[in-house]
Amino acid sequence: MRIVLLGPPGAGKGTQARRLAESTGMNHLSTGDMLRGEVASGTELGLLAKSYMDRGDLVPDSNIISMIQIHIGDPAGVLLDGFPRTVVQAEALDEALKQAGTPIDKVVHMSVDTDELIRRLSSRALCTDCQTPYNLESSPPAVPGKCDRCGGAVVVRDDDKPEAVSNRMNVYRQLTEPVLHYYRSRGDVVEIDAIGTPDEVFAKLSQSIGAGNSGRPSN
Ligand code: AP5
């Protein structure tokens, strides 16, 4: 399966994609996680990406497309989280999938109101090693500052600071909502209300992709 998760910053794309990848064996491709990995490793791409990411701007399309293209045809299936984010990226994805002979199965739009998004982002922290997200109010790590999964350092992302969050919301409206219209015009989009506990959202998401509550495809 090829599934695209679309939604504003803080909608829960990463949280749900991780769960779905665990239960289905699909490859979770998060361009945000990949870029943070490049930044942490100090690569040329990481150095370029950091300035865009810290401001909440998008990294140039050409860098993103070449970073992700190689993974698109993965026979285990892919869950795309944070990509495509511009119409140029969506067109490049269509072309790559055409060449791989594997069309998109579902585009899922996760919607959450702005107040809830800001509440989630302002209390979010992240493991710098394995990228597991935490909410410092509702689901903090058992030991403050230490990842439950891998023991790595849990920190607040630079782009979760208020100015960057406000810019990310604007960038989403200007550059990523047109991607939603691009897929809607083809009738490809399944809508889910991504408010509720992560378990409740997972149940809605699994149902929307025909995977049952376990996340496993039903056919
Ligand atoms: P990226 O990491 O993709 O950021 P994002 O899309 O802004 O998404 P987030 O990670 O903020 O939110 P999410 O929807 O994954 O929510 P999460 O599950 O974490 O990108 C970062 C930057 O990289 C971009 O700004 C850009 O610079 C660059 N970039 C990335 N991809 C790019 C691309 N394709 N092109 C160009 N540039 C690109 O959850 C958020 C919080 O809410 C967590 O604390 C979580 O625990 C909590 N939470 C989740 N679900 C629930 C729930 N149901 N109830 C309550 N709390 C919840």
Side-chain angles (χ1 to χ4, degrees), residues 20-31:
L20 208 50
E22 268 173 28
S23 66
T24 61
M26 292 168 76
N27 189 2
H28 172 200
L29 295 179
S30 158
T31 42

Side-chain angles (χ1 to χ4, degrees), residues 10 12-15 31 36 57 59 82 85 89 124 134 168 196:
K13 303 178 296 293
T15 302
T31 42
R36 281 183 287 278
D57 286 334
V59 175
R85 240 169 163 110
Q89 292 180 18
R124 188 221 334 240
Y134 292 90
R168 283 162 67 200

Side-chain angles (χ1 to χ4, degrees), residues 103-165:
I104 293 174
D105 294 278
K106 297 269 188 230
V107 176
V108 182
H109 174 220
M110 300 173 64
S111 52
V112 175
D113 62 84
T114 307
D115 287 351
E116 171 68 5
L117 293 173
I118 290 178
R119 203 182 60 72
R120 288 183 188 179
L121 293 176
S122 61
S123 55
R124 188 221 334 240
L126 188 77
C127 174
T128 49
D129 289 348
C130 73
Q131 312 285 333
T132 297
Y134 292 90
N135 186 296
L136 296 175
E137 285 171 8
S138 58
S139 56
V143 176
K146 196 169 169 185
C147 180
D148 296 345
R149 259 194 186 172
C150 76
V154 173
V155 300
V156 173
R157 275 168 46 173
D158 283 334
D159 63 348
D160 278 346
K161 295 177 180 151
E163 262 183 38
V165 166

